[in-house]
Amino acid sequence: MHHHEGGVLWIEGPADAGKSHALALAAEDAVMAGAMVLVGRGVDGGGMPPLAPLLDALAPVIDAGDSEPRTPYQTMRWVEDCLRELAGAQPLVVVLDDIQHYDEASLLAVRRLTTRLAGLPLLWLLASRTHPEAPAASSTRRHLLSERAEVLELTPFTPGAVRLMVRDLLGQRAEEAEPYLPLLGGLPGAVRHLCLLLASTSDPDRSIRAGWDLTAQAVVTRRLEQLTQGARDLVLIFSALGDDVGVRHLCRMLDRDESALLRPLRELLGTGLVQPDGRRLTFAHPSVRDAVAATLPPSMSLSVRRRSLGIRLAEGTPASLLATEIGEVAEPGDERALHILETAAREVAPLEPAAAAAHLRRAMDLSRVPSRRARLAARLMPLLWETGETDEARALAGELLRTPPDAVTHARACLELTRTGSQFPVPHAEAHLCRALHHQDVPRSLKDQIRSTALLHRLLSGEGDEVGATDAGDMEAGDAGEGVQGTHPLHDLTQHTLRSMSACRRQRWTEALALSESVPAKTVELDPQHGPALPEVILSMAWRAALLGSTGAGRAAGELVEGSIADARKTGRVVYLPLWLTLRARLLLDGGRLADAARELAAVGAGPHPRYVSVANETATACTRARVALHTGDDAEIASCAALADRYLAGDDPRTRQTGAWIALLTAGYRNEVLRPLQLRAAATHLRRGYLHTTCVDAGDVVLLVAAALAAGEREVAAETVRFAEERARLNSGLPLFAAAAVHVRGLYTGNADLLTEAAARHGDTRPLLRARALEDAGERAAAEGTGDARSRFEEALRLYDKCGAEHDGRRVRTRLRRLGIHLLPTAGAPMAAAGTMTWRGLTRSELGVVRLVAHGATNREAAQQLFVSPHTVDTHLRHAFEKLGVRSRVQLARLYAREVDVKGACA
C-alpha cells in the first residue's frame, strides 16, 4: 500500500477459528505502519440498514455532512468518494468482519467498490465463516475470488497445538482440560473459552466427565449458538438419533430436500462437530454427541427418536432391526411396540439369544396384562438359561408355575424346565408334570415332547438306568398306558436318541451308533432356524459325537464338536460350552494329546462359563480330569480328584457313588493303592453302564479295571470284566476298539504276552495311550518270563508315552527298564524331559516344573498356561515347594534356584 497498490484478502473459517483475532492483529500492524484503518462488522439476525457496515466504518473519520435522505445508490457513490479521498491522503485498510451477516446492498457495494477502487493504496480485509448461509454472501465470495482476491483459510489446530495453547493458558492446571478437548474441534476460540471457564473454578481436583458437567455443557452450548439455525437444528436432531444416520434420513426428519440441507450441512462439517463416514455422518467424538444431546430436553429427544422410528418403519426397515430402539421409546401398553419386540425376539433367538432375552424383558415391562406377561416369561426362561443366567431362569420358572395363565403356558414352562436338566428345582415338581401331562387342553405333541425330554434327562443323569435296560419299545409307553405317537419331529429325534442310549446301555454300540445317524436328518425336519438351538437337538448331537469318538471315528467326532463349540461361542449360549469342552477334552485324551486335554478341562473348571446344569456332566468332567492327571502325573490334580471321589462316595445317590468309585480306582492306580472289593464292584457297575451323561465309557477302561482287580487279588471281578469285554466285542464285531480291548484284558488276566502284543497291534495309531499300555503290559510279562523281548516293548511304549506327554506312565516304564539294567537318556521329544530326570531337595516332578518357571520370573497364571494346568494347581505346587525348601518369598526361591541349579547344575 505504501507503494500505492491495493488488494483484497478474503479470510474464512468456522466460528472460533480466530478470524476476528487475525483482523485485529492486522489492524494494529497497519496503524503502526502509518495506514488508516476503518472497521465495520456484521450483526447476526439481520435488521441492519442498507450499507450500515460501510457507514459505521466511515463514521469515526468523516461526517455525513447533512441529514438529507439518500437512495442506496447515492449512499454507495458517497462511500466511494470518501474512500477515494482517504486513500489519496494515506494508505487505507478497510476491515469488514462477519461478511456472512451483511445485507445484500452492502455486499453489492463491496463487490463494486473493490473493483472501482482497485488502483488505490487500499487494502480490503474481509472475513466470513466458511460456507456462508446467505446466497448473497456466497455470490460475493465467488465474485471476489474470480477477480483479484486472495484467500486465507483458518483451519483447526492440531491436537498438539491445542495442548500447547491450553498449557499456555492454564499452566499447571492444563490436565483439567483433557476430558473436554474432543469438544473443541481444534478451534482456538473454543480453547480460550474453555480455559477461561476452568480458570474461574476453585476445585481443580473435581471429577470431570465430558458431556455431563456444567463446563462441558457451557462449551457445547457456545458452539451451538454460533451456528445458524439450520445447522443447529441439524446437529441437535443428529445427536438424538445417534451416529448411524444418513443425510437422506435427516432430510425426511426436517421435511426438507437435499438441496435445502446442503448449506447447513456444509456449515456443520466446517465446525468439526461431525464428519462424513461414507454415506453416513458421525460425530467427531462420542463425548461430542453426549454433550450436544445433553442440551436437548428429554421430551424433545424422545419425540425426535419416535419420529425417526416412524419414518424408518414407513420406509420398510424390518421392525426386528429397530426393536431395541422401539423398546427404549415405547410407553407401557404400547401394543405396536409389544408386537415388534415379540416378533424380534422370535427372529433373533437362534443366533442372538441374549438380544432376544433383552427384547422379551422389555416387552414384559411394557405389558399391562398379567397373562401376557406370564406367556412372555415362559419364552424368556429358556433364553436366560442358555445365556448362563440360570438362577434368574429358575426363579422365573418357579413364579410362572405358581400362577400360570393357562394350561398350555404351564405345560410349556414344564417342558422348558425338563430341557434344562435341572430336575424341576421347584416345589411339587412331579405334581406340575402330572398336571401338564393329563390336562385335556395341552396338545398331544407338547405332551410327547415333555415325556421324551424328561426321559432323556433321566437317562443322561443315570436315573433311568432301569429304563435303559429294557426293550426300546417299552420306553414309548406313557403315563397311565397312554402311547407316545411321535406327533412332533422333535419328539421323533429325541426318541432315536433314547433308543441309541438304550442300545449303549445294553452294550450294543453298533446299534447305538446306527440309531444316532438319523439325528442330523431329523434335525433338518425341524424349523431350520430354531431347531438346531433346541436343547434336545444339542444333547442328541453331543451324544452322537461321544459315540463317534468312543467307537474310533475321532475325526468325525472332532468336526462335530469343533463346530458346536464355535456355534455356542458365536451365539452366546455359554451354558453348553462345558458340555462341548468336556467332549473335546475327551477326544484329545483319546488321541493322546494330554496337554491339550488338560487345557480344555481347565477351561471347563476355571473359565468364565457357567457349568451345565447337570450333576452327571460334572461327574463326567471329573472322570476325564482324573484320567488326564493319571497319565500326566499331576499330583495336585490327583489329590483334587481323590477328594472329589470321597465326596461322591459319601453321597446318597447310587449313580454318583459309582462314579466316585471309578475316580477312586484311577487315583488309587496312580498312588499304587489297592481298592476294597466293594469299591471295585461299584467301579465295575459304572463301567458296564456304558456312558456318563453324554460322555461314553472308553473301550480301554476295562484294562484299568482288570489291572486294579488283579492288584487287589479280586480275580473274580477281573474274570467278570474279561467276560464282559469279550461279550461286548462279540456284540460289536465291526468295531475294532472293543475287540482290541477284549484281547488286552484276556492277555492281562492270563498273563499271555502274545495276546498283549496282539492287542497293541489291534489298537494301532488310533489310541496311542492304549497301544502303549498294551506294549508296557507285554514287556512286563516278557520280563517276568525272561524271553528277551521286554526291552523293545518297553522302549516302544516309552516312545508313545513321551509323545503323548504321559509323564507318569513314562516314569513307570523307565523304572522297569532300570530293573533290566537299562538307563535311557531323556528324548528330545519328551515334554520337559530334562526336568524329568532332576531331583532337587525332595521336590516332586510337578513341583519342580512349577519352581523352574517361577524362579525365572513367571507368574502363577503364566506358569499355568505353559504347563497346561490350572492356576490353583500351580499355587498348590508352589506352596508345597516353599515348605520343602524353607523359603518364604518368590525372591528367596529365585535366589536359591539360581545358586544351586542354574549356576552349579546340581540337578542336570
Side-chain angles (χ1 to χ4, degrees), residues 737-814:
L737 280 178
F738 295 112
V743 173
H744 192 159
V745 293
R746 172 59 67 180
L748 198 62
Y749 180 74
T750 60
N752 190 320
D754 292 335
L755 287 178
L756 293 170
T757 303
E758 179 188 347
R762 283 174 175 261
H763 283 304
D765 297 328
T766 305
R767 295 293 175 82
L769 289 170
L770 293 180
R771 177 180 172 83
R773 179 59 187 262
L775 288 167
E776 180 188 355
D777 291 337
E780 184 179 12
R781 190 61 198 163
E785 295 174 352
T787 61
D789 297 332
R791 174 172 182 170
S792 62
R793 291 167 181 172
F794 281 147
E795 288 180 344
E796 178 61 15
L798 181 59
R799 184 189 67 80
L800 291 171
Y801 282 142
D802 283 347
K803 183 178 180 181
C804 296
E807 299 170 13
H808 178 70
D809 300 312
R811 288 198 300 271
R812 186 177 61 244
V813 173
R814 285 189 176 88

Side-chain angles (χ1 to χ4, degrees), residues 4-91:
H4 300 281
E5 295 178 1
V8 180
L9 179 64
W10 180 277
I11 303 175
E12 65 183 15
D16 271 340
K19 300 183 296 297
S20 298
H21 189 63
L23 292 177
L25 291 175
E28 292 178 7
D29 288 346
V31 171
M32 295 295 294
M36 177 181 290
V37 177
L38 307 179
V39 179
R41 292 183 176 84
V43 178
D44 189 11
M48 298 178 66
L51 303 177
L54 294 171
L55 295 175
D56 290 343
L58 288 169
V61 295
I62 294 182
D63 187 1
D66 58 58
S67 56
E68 238 179 71
R70 299 186 181 96
T71 65
Y73 176 76
Q74 291 172 331
T75 302
M76 186 184 69
R77 292 298 302 268
W78 179 81
V79 169
E80 180 183 345
D81 293 340
C82 292
L83 292 175
R84 190 180 299 277
E85 180 181 349
L86 292 171
Q90 67 182 113

Side-chain angles (χ1 to χ4, degrees), residues 832 835 838 847-857 866-867 897:
M832 294 185 64
M838 297 173 66
E847 291 167 353
L848 189 55
V850 170
V851 165
R852 179 177 60 84
L853 293 173
V854 171
H856 288 96
Q866 292 188 50
L867 297 173
Y897 189 88

Side-chain angles (χ1 to χ4, degrees), residues 483-731:
V484 177
Q485 302 300 322
T487 55
H488 192 280
L490 185 60
H491 166 74
D492 291 340
L493 179 144
T494 309
Q495 283 292 305
H496 277 76
T497 301
L498 290 172
R499 293 190 184 97
S500 178
M501 296 174 69
S502 176
C504 180
R505 180 65 178 81
R506 292 178 283 113
Q507 302 305 317
R508 298 181 180 274
W509 293 74
T510 304
E511 179 184 345
L513 190 61
L515 286 166
S516 74
E517 289 177 0
S518 63
V519 170
K522 291 292 181 182
T523 302
V524 175
E525 297 178 13
L526 301 172
D527 182 343
Q529 187 177 22
H530 296 80
L534 293 173
E536 296 95 317
V537 176
I538 291 173
L539 288 173
S540 296
M541 297 299 283
W543 172 252
R544 173 160 175 77
L547 280 175
L548 288 169
S550 296
T551 54
R555 177 173 297 181
E559 291 175 356
L560 183 54
V561 169
E562 292 299 328
S564 299
I565 290 175
D567 182 70
R569 284 176 171 155
K570 179 180 178 180
T571 60
R573 288 185 169 83
V574 295
V575 78
Y576 295 120
L577 276 175
L579 170 71
W580 291 112
L581 291 176
T582 299
L583 285 172
R584 181 157 70 179
R586 173 57 185 277
L587 292 174
L588 293 169
L589 166 63
D590 292 344
R593 296 169 59 184
L594 293 172
D596 293 336
R599 184 174 59 250
E600 293 300 314
L601 293 170
V604 174
H609 318 298
R611 284 191 175 275
Y612 183 70
V613 187
S614 171
V615 175
N617 187 59
E618 293 180 1
T619 54
T621 304
C623 288
T624 307
R625 285 175 50 204
R627 277 281 305 281
V628 172
L630 172 67
H631 292 297
T632 60
D634 190 332
D635 296 332
E637 187 75 345
I638 284 290
S640 174
C641 290
L644 191 61
D646 292 340
R647 179 162 66 86
Y648 287 166
L649 288 168
D652 297 328
D653 184 20
R655 291 160 297 277
T656 304
R657 289 201 300 271
Q658 293 165 10
T659 305
W662 181 254
I663 298 175
L665 181 146
L666 298 175
T667 58
Y670 182 86
R671 296 169 172 174
N672 294 321
E673 297 173 350
V674 176
L675 283 187
R676 297 189 302 273
L678 186 62
Q679 288 182 331
L680 274 174
R681 293 194 175 276
T685 303
H686 163 85
L687 187 147
R688 285 194 296 271
R689 187 164 133 198
Y691 61 88
L692 187 58
H693 200 247
T694 56
T695 303
C696 296
V697 169
D698 185 58
D701 283 350
V702 290
V703 176
L704 300 176
L705 180 58
V706 169
L710 293 175
E714 294 292 327
R715 291 190 62 81
E716 181 56 34
V717 174
E720 290 176 1
T721 305
V722 171
R723 289 193 292 272
F724 164 80
E726 291 176 339
E727 176 63 13
R728 185 180 63 179
R730 186 188 66 79
L731 293 172

